Amino acid sequence: MAAENEEDLLIQRALAAARDTKVLEVRGGVRHDAAKIFSHHFGNAQPIIVADENTFAAAGRDVSNGFACERPPGCPAFVFGPEVYAEGRCVDELTKVLASSEAIPVAVGSGTINDLTKLAAHRVGRPYMVVATAASMDGYTAYGASITAKGSKQTFDCPAPKVVLADLEIIARAPVGMNASGYADLIAKVAAGADWIVADALGVEAIQSDVWNTVQLHLKEWVDSPAAVAGNEPGALKRLTNGLIMTGFAMQAHKTSRPASGADHQFSHLWDMQHHTYEGVAPSHGFKVGIGTVASLALYEELLSRDLAKLDIEEAVSRWPTLEGLHSQIGELLGEGELADTAHKETAAKYVDREALRGQLTRLREVWPELREKLEKQAIPVTRLKQMLREAGCPCEPEQIGISTERLQTSYWQALFIRRRFTVLDLAQRAGLMDAALGRLFGSSGCWGREAA
C-alpha cells in the first residue's frame, strides 16, 4: 500500500508539472464519463470523436452515447476506414476534417489514432482529448507524434493531449498482443535508462533527475508481473498503464524522447525505415522495441564483462575513422536513398574528432568502476529479460518478428548510424570494441550463437 501511495504521489507530481496534460484518469468504465469530463474542461466547445472501425466499436460508440446524453443530439464522429496508418496521408485527411469546423477532437484508440489526432489537432491549433483503448505504447502523454513521412518514421513536434482517460475495462479487452506490445515498450526503458547513464557519465547528455525519477523510480515494479499482464489482471494492467503514461509525462517534460528511447528504439526505427514486414504485416512497435532491448542489453552484458578501466585509449584513437570514412561505411551498409541520407546527417551531427574521442575515453576509463556498478544495477540479465518478455506474450527472439540472426548482427551497425543520440552502440564503437563484442554475441556460445539456439 505504501508503494502504491508513493506511486500515486509521483503521478500527481508529474501531472502538476506537465506542460500540456492537465487531467488523467485511469479506471474501469471511465469512457462513460468522457462527455462530462469533456464539458468540464472544454466548456461548450463542440467535440468530434476520432476513431477507426475497431476502436469505435470497442469504446467510441459508448463515448458517443455519453455525448448524446450530456448534450443532445450528441457529436459527430470521424471514423477511419481499415487502411488507417500513422502516416502523412492520414494526417492530411484528418487535418482537412478538423479544419472544416472549430470542433475539439476526442481521440478514441491507441497509438495510431492518438498520433494522428495529436498532429492534426496541432496543425489546426487546438487541444485534444484521448480515450485510451489499449496499453500498447507510451505515446499517449508524450510530446510529439511518430508519423511515417517521405518513407521514414519521423517524430513531429506537437503537444500532448490536455485530457487523458484510460479505461481499464476496454484495455483488458484489447486485441491479443496489444498490451503485450505495451509491456515490451515499457521494459525497454531499462535499456534506455542505461544509455542515459552512460551519456551522463561521459559528459554527453546530463541526466535530469526529476525526469529520470518519473520513469525509473518505479519501473522495475511496473514490469515485475509479466504473466499477470498476459492474464489481463486488473492490478497488473493498471501498473502497466501508469508506467506507460508516466513515461509519456517524462518525454513531455523533457521535450525529447531521451527518457524513454535509446538503442532499443533505434533498432525499431531502423526496421521501420527498411519497411520490414513479417508474414505480410509490420510487427508492432513494441515487439520490435522488445527485440531491440534484448539486443541492447546483450551488448551491455558483453561490455560489462570487460575491465574498461584498462582500455587501451591510444589504440582506440588510432583506429578511429574520419567522418569521410564513416560516410563510406554507411554507403556500404545502407546504399543510397532516404535511410542512407538520414544516417549521413545523424552521424555527422554526433561525430567527434580524435582529440575529443581521447577525452571521452579517458573519462570512461576513470569512471568505469562506478559506471559499471550503476549499469549492473540498472540492467536486467538477458536470460531473465527473455523470460519476462515470453511470459507477457511478447517475442523474445529476433526470428519471432522475422529478423534473422545475420540481419540482427548487421542491424547493430546500421542502427548506430541512424540517430545522433549517444547509446551503448556509440560506447562500443568509440571504445573500438564493437566488432569483438558482436563476434562474441554471435559466436557459437554467444547470446545468438548456435549453442544458444
Side-chain angles (χ1 to χ4, degrees), residues 149-171:
K150 296 181 179 179
S152 66
K153 185 74 78 173
Q154 302 177 38
T155 299
F156 290 84
D157 290 345
C158 46
K162 182 177 180 180
V163 178
V164 178
L165 310 180
D167 194 317
L168 294 175
E169 291 178 358
I170 299 300
I171 288 171

PDB file of all heavy atoms in Angstrom, residues 149-171:
ATOM      1  N   ALA A 149       6.643   9.625 -42.828  1.00  0.00           N
ATOM      2  CA  ALA A 149       6.567  10.656 -43.868  1.00  0.00           C
ATOM      3  C   ALA A 149       7.793  10.529 -44.763  1.00  0.00           C
ATOM      4  O   ALA A 149       8.903  10.304 -44.283  1.00  0.00           O
ATOM      5  CB  ALA A 149       6.500  12.051 -43.246  1.00  0.00           C
ATOM      6  N   LYS A 150       7.579  10.646 -46.054  1.00  0.00           N
ATOM      7  CA  LYS A 150       8.654  10.536 -47.037  1.00  0.00           C
ATOM      8  C   LYS A 150       9.442   9.240 -46.863  1.00  0.00           C
ATOM      9  O   LYS A 150      10.665   9.202 -46.957  1.00  0.00           O
ATOM     10  CB  LYS A 150       9.586  11.746 -46.953  1.00  0.00           C
ATOM     11  CG  LYS A 150       8.902  13.063 -47.306  1.00  0.00           C
ATOM     12  CD  LYS A 150       9.873  14.229 -47.235  1.00  0.00           C
ATOM     13  CE  LYS A 150       9.178  15.528 -47.603  1.00  0.00           C
ATOM     14  NZ  LYS A 150      10.116  16.679 -47.514  1.00  0.00           N
ATOM     15  N   GLY A 151       8.726   8.190 -46.537  1.00  0.00           N
ATOM     16  CA  GLY A 151       9.328   6.869 -46.484  1.00  0.00           C
ATOM     17  C   GLY A 151      10.024   6.501 -45.202  1.00  0.00           C
ATOM     18  O   GLY A 151      10.566   5.402 -45.092  1.00  0.00           O
ATOM     19  N   SER A 152      10.040   7.400 -44.199  1.00  0.00           N
ATOM     20  CA  SER A 152      10.720   7.059 -42.952  1.00  0.00           C
ATOM     21  C   SER A 152       9.914   7.529 -41.755  1.00  0.00           C
ATOM     22  O   SER A 152       9.142   8.489 -41.836  1.00  0.00           O
ATOM     23  CB  SER A 152      12.123   7.683 -42.912  1.00  0.00           C
ATOM     24  OG  SER A 152      12.044   9.095 -42.859  1.00  0.00           O
ATOM     25  N   LYS A 153      10.092   6.818 -40.636  1.00  0.00           N
ATOM     26  CA  LYS A 153       9.415   7.175 -39.399  1.00  0.00           C
ATOM     27  C   LYS A 153      10.061   8.424 -38.827  1.00  0.00           C
ATOM     28  O   LYS A 153      11.266   8.491 -38.646  1.00  0.00           O
ATOM     29  CB  LYS A 153       9.507   6.025 -38.407  1.00  0.00           C
ATOM     30  CG  LYS A 153       8.737   6.254 -37.123  1.00  0.00           C
ATOM     31  CD  LYS A 153       7.240   6.116 -37.307  1.00  0.00           C
ATOM     32  CE  LYS A 153       6.795   4.690 -37.365  1.00  0.00           C
ATOM     33  NZ  LYS A 153       5.340   4.528 -37.387  1.00  0.00           N
ATOM     34  N   GLN A 154       9.236   9.453 -38.540  1.00  0.00           N
ATOM     35  CA  GLN A 154       9.741  10.709 -38.015  1.00  0.00           C
ATOM     36  C   GLN A 154       8.900  11.121 -36.820  1.00  0.00           C
ATOM     37  O   GLN A 154       7.722  10.800 -36.731  1.00  0.00           O
ATOM     38  CB  GLN A 154       9.677  11.812 -39.076  1.00  0.00           C
ATOM     39  CG  GLN A 154      10.444  11.502 -40.351  1.00  0.00           C
ATOM     40  CD  GLN A 154      10.295  12.595 -41.389  1.00  0.00           C
ATOM     41  OE1 GLN A 154      10.261  13.774 -41.067  1.00  0.00           O
ATOM     42  NE2 GLN A 154      10.207  12.201 -42.647  1.00  0.00           N
ATOM     43  N   THR A 155       9.528  11.862 -35.895  1.00  0.00           N
ATOM     44  CA  THR A 155       8.804  12.412 -34.760  1.00  0.00           C
ATOM     45  C   THR A 155       8.548  13.888 -35.020  1.00  0.00           C
ATOM     46  O   THR A 155       9.491  14.666 -35.171  1.00  0.00           O
ATOM     47  CB  THR A 155       9.590  12.228 -33.449  1.00  0.00           C
ATOM     48  OG1 THR A 155       9.790  10.830 -33.220  1.00  0.00           O
ATOM     49  CG2 THR A 155       8.831  12.818 -32.279  1.00  0.00           C
ATOM     50  N   PHE A 156       7.284  14.250 -35.074  1.00  0.00           N
ATOM     51  CA  PHE A 156       6.884  15.631 -35.327  1.00  0.00           C
ATOM     52  C   PHE A 156       6.549  16.311 -34.004  1.00  0.00           C
ATOM     53  O   PHE A 156       5.807  15.766 -33.191  1.00  0.00           O
ATOM     54  CB  PHE A 156       5.664  15.675 -36.252  1.00  0.00           C
ATOM     55  CG  PHE A 156       5.957  15.254 -37.667  1.00  0.00           C
ATOM     56  CD1 PHE A 156       5.961  13.907 -38.027  1.00  0.00           C
ATOM     57  CD2 PHE A 156       6.245  16.190 -38.643  1.00  0.00           C
ATOM     58  CE1 PHE A 156       6.243  13.504 -39.321  1.00  0.00           C
ATOM     59  CE2 PHE A 156       6.525  15.811 -39.952  1.00  0.00           C
ATOM     60  CZ  PHE A 156       6.518  14.466 -40.290  1.00  0.00           C
ATOM     61  N   ASP A 157       7.100  17.497 -33.793  1.00  0.00           N
ATOM     62  CA  ASP A 157       6.816  18.241 -32.571  1.00  0.00           C
ATOM     63  C   ASP A 157       5.349  18.651 -32.521  1.00  0.00           C
ATOM     64  O   ASP A 157       4.840  19.270 -33.457  1.00  0.00           O
ATOM     65  CB  ASP A 157       7.683  19.499 -32.492  1.00  0.00           C
ATOM     66  CG  ASP A 157       9.147  19.184 -32.241  1.00  0.00           C
ATOM     67  OD1 ASP A 157       9.428  18.045 -31.862  1.00  0.00           O
ATOM     68  OD2 ASP A 157       9.987  20.088 -32.423  1.00  0.00           O
ATOM     69  N   CYS A 158       4.680  18.300 -31.447  1.00  0.00           N
ATOM     70  CA  CYS A 158       3.296  18.716 -31.217  1.00  0.00           C
ATOM     71  C   CYS A 158       2.928  18.383 -29.783  1.00  0.00           C
ATOM     72  O   CYS A 158       3.435  17.408 -29.222  1.00  0.00           O
ATOM     73  CB  CYS A 158       2.321  18.060 -32.204  1.00  0.00           C
ATOM     74  SG  CYS A 158       2.535  16.290 -32.440  1.00  0.00           S
ATOM     75  N   PRO A 159       2.053  19.180 -29.168  1.00  0.00           N
ATOM     76  CA  PRO A 159       1.735  18.986 -27.751  1.00  0.00           C
ATOM     77  C   PRO A 159       0.966  17.701 -27.479  1.00  0.00           C
ATOM     78  O   PRO A 159       0.253  17.173 -28.337  1.00  0.00           O
ATOM     79  CB  PRO A 159       0.874  20.211 -27.412  1.00  0.00           C
ATOM     80  CG  PRO A 159       1.122  21.194 -28.503  1.00  0.00           C
ATOM     81  CD  PRO A 159       1.417  20.382 -29.729  1.00  0.00           C
ATOM     82  N   ALA A 160       1.107  17.230 -26.255  1.00  0.00           N
ATOM     83  CA  ALA A 160       0.352  16.075 -25.770  1.00  0.00           C
ATOM     84  C   ALA A 160      -1.101  16.477 -25.519  1.00  0.00           C
ATOM     85  O   ALA A 160      -1.434  17.672 -25.491  1.00  0.00           O
ATOM     86  CB  ALA A 160       0.990  15.556 -24.481  1.00  0.00           C
ATOM     87  N   PRO A 161      -2.000  15.520 -25.336  1.00  0.00           N
ATOM     88  CA  PRO A 161      -3.407  15.855 -25.089  1.00  0.00           C
ATOM     89  C   PRO A 161      -3.600  16.586 -23.762  1.00  0.00           C
ATOM     90  O   PRO A 161      -2.842  16.392 -22.812  1.00  0.00           O
ATOM     91  CB  PRO A 161      -4.093  14.486 -25.066  1.00  0.00           C
ATOM     92  CG  PRO A 161      -3.006  13.518 -24.746  1.00  0.00           C
ATOM     93  CD  PRO A 161      -1.771  14.068 -25.372  1.00  0.00           C
ATOM     94  N   LYS A 162      -4.645  17.406 -23.720  1.00  0.00           N
ATOM     95  CA  LYS A 162      -4.981  18.109 -22.480  1.00  0.00           C
ATOM     96  C   LYS A 162      -5.607  17.148 -21.469  1.00  0.00           C
ATOM     97  O   LYS A 162      -5.384  17.252 -20.261  1.00  0.00           O
ATOM     98  CB  LYS A 162      -5.954  19.255 -22.775  1.00  0.00           C
ATOM     99  CG  LYS A 162      -6.336  20.079 -21.551  1.00  0.00           C
ATOM    100  CD  LYS A 162      -7.257  21.242 -21.925  1.00  0.00           C
ATOM    101  CE  LYS A 162      -7.634  22.064 -20.695  1.00  0.00           C
ATOM    102  NZ  LYS A 162      -8.533  23.200 -21.054  1.00  0.00           N
ATOM    103  N   VAL A 163      -6.396  16.207 -21.955  1.00  0.00           N
ATOM    104  CA  VAL A 163      -7.106  15.259 -21.090  1.00  0.00           C
ATOM    105  C   VAL A 163      -6.807  13.838 -21.562  1.00  0.00           C
ATOM    106  O   VAL A 163      -6.919  13.547 -22.757  1.00  0.00           O
ATOM    107  CB  VAL A 163      -8.630  15.516 -21.112  1.00  0.00           C
ATOM    108  CG1 VAL A 163      -9.355  14.485 -20.256  1.00  0.00           C
ATOM    109  CG2 VAL A 163      -8.950  16.937 -20.656  1.00  0.00           C
ATOM    110  N   VAL A 164      -6.441  12.953 -20.636  1.00  0.00           N
ATOM    111  CA  VAL A 164      -6.176  11.548 -20.952  1.00  0.00           C
ATOM    112  C   VAL A 164      -7.053  10.683 -20.059  1.00  0.00           C
ATOM    113  O   VAL A 164      -6.986  10.769 -18.825  1.00  0.00           O
ATOM    114  CB  VAL A 164      -4.704  11.178 -20.722  1.00  0.00           C
ATOM    115  CG1 VAL A 164      -4.472   9.690 -21.012  1.00  0.00           C
ATOM    116  CG2 VAL A 164      -3.795  12.033 -21.593  1.00  0.00           C
ATOM    117  N   LEU A 165      -7.882   9.844 -20.685  1.00  0.00           N
ATOM    118  CA  LEU A 165      -8.700   8.870 -19.970  1.00  0.00           C
ATOM    119  C   LEU A 165      -8.278   7.482 -20.430  1.00  0.00           C
ATOM    120  O   LEU A 165      -8.195   7.225 -21.629  1.00  0.00           O
ATOM    121  CB  LEU A 165     -10.189   9.077 -20.270  1.00  0.00           C
ATOM    122  CG  LEU A 165     -10.743  10.507 -20.115  1.00  0.00           C
ATOM    123  CD1 LEU A 165     -12.236  10.515 -20.447  1.00  0.00           C
ATOM    124  CD2 LEU A 165     -10.488  11.043 -18.718  1.00  0.00           C
ATOM    125  N   ALA A 166      -7.989   6.600 -19.490  1.00  0.00           N
ATOM    126  CA  ALA A 166      -7.606   5.224 -19.826  1.00  0.00           C
ATOM    127  C   ALA A 166      -8.608   4.291 -19.168  1.00  0.00           C
ATOM    128  O   ALA A 166      -8.673   4.213 -17.939  1.00  0.00           O
ATOM    129  CB  ALA A 166      -6.190   4.925 -19.353  1.00  0.00           C
ATOM    130  N   ASP A 167      -9.406   3.614 -19.967  1.00  0.00           N
ATOM    131  CA  ASP A 167     -10.469   2.753 -19.454  1.00  0.00           C
ATOM    132  C   ASP A 167      -9.942   1.327 -19.305  1.00  0.00           C
ATOM    133  O   ASP A 167      -9.694   0.631 -20.299  1.00  0.00           O
ATOM    134  CB  ASP A 167     -11.667   2.780 -20.399  1.00  0.00           C
ATOM    135  CG  ASP A 167     -12.911   2.190 -19.769  1.00  0.00           C
ATOM    136  OD1 ASP A 167     -12.794   1.142 -19.111  1.00  0.00           O
ATOM    137  OD2 ASP A 167     -13.991   2.783 -19.913  1.00  0.00           O
ATOM    138  N   LEU A 168      -9.757   0.891 -18.066  1.00  0.00           N
ATOM    139  CA  LEU A 168      -9.173  -0.424 -17.816  1.00  0.00           C
ATOM    140  C   LEU A 168     -10.067  -1.565 -18.281  1.00  0.00           C
ATOM    141  O   LEU A 168      -9.578  -2.659 -18.583  1.00  0.00           O
ATOM    142  CB  LEU A 168      -8.840  -0.570 -16.330  1.00  0.00           C
ATOM    143  CG  LEU A 168      -7.734   0.363 -15.816  1.00  0.00           C
ATOM    144  CD1 LEU A 168      -7.579   0.215 -14.312  1.00  0.00           C
ATOM    145  CD2 LEU A 168      -6.414   0.102 -16.521  1.00  0.00           C
ATOM    146  N   GLU A 169     -11.385  -1.341 -18.353  1.00  0.00           N
ATOM    147  CA  GLU A 169     -12.277  -2.385 -18.888  1.00  0.00           C
ATOM    148  C   GLU A 169     -11.983  -2.626 -20.362  1.00  0.00           C
ATOM    149  O   GLU A 169     -11.922  -3.782 -20.810  1.00  0.00           O
ATOM    150  CB  GLU A 169     -13.738  -1.955 -18.715  1.00  0.00           C
ATOM    151  CG  GLU A 169     -14.223  -1.930 -17.274  1.00  0.00           C
ATOM    152  CD  GLU A 169     -15.662  -1.452 -17.146  1.00  0.00           C
ATOM    153  OE1 GLU A 169     -16.276  -1.103 -18.186  1.00  0.00           O
ATOM    154  OE2 GLU A 169     -16.166  -1.410 -16.018  1.00  0.00           O
ATOM    155  N   ILE A 170     -11.824  -1.549 -21.106  1.00  0.00           N
ATOM    156  CA  ILE A 170     -11.543  -1.677 -22.539  1.00  0.00           C
ATOM    157  C   ILE A 170     -10.127  -2.207 -22.751  1.00  0.00           C
ATOM    158  O   ILE A 170      -9.883  -3.044 -23.627  1.00  0.00           O
ATOM    159  CB  ILE A 170     -11.733  -0.318 -23.237  1.00  0.00           C
ATOM    160  CG1 ILE A 170     -13.179   0.165 -23.084  1.00  0.00           C
ATOM    161  CG2 ILE A 170     -11.355  -0.412 -24.713  1.00  0.00           C
ATOM    162  CD1 ILE A 170     -14.215  -0.769 -23.667  1.00  0.00           C
ATOM    163  N   ILE A 171      -9.181  -1.723 -21.958  1.00  0.00           N
ATOM    164  CA  ILE A 171      -7.799  -2.173 -22.082  1.00  0.00           C
ATOM    165  C   ILE A 171      -7.709  -3.681 -21.847  1.00  0.00           C
ATOM    166  O   ILE A 171      -6.969  -4.386 -22.544  1.00  0.00           O
ATOM    167  CB  ILE A 171      -6.901  -1.390 -21.110  1.00  0.00           C
ATOM    168  CG1 ILE A 171      -6.737   0.054 -21.619  1.00  0.00           C
ATOM    169  CG2 ILE A 171      -5.536  -2.059 -20.936  1.00  0.00           C
ATOM    170  CD1 ILE A 171      -6.054   0.987 -20.643  1.00  0.00           C
TER     171      ILE A 171
END
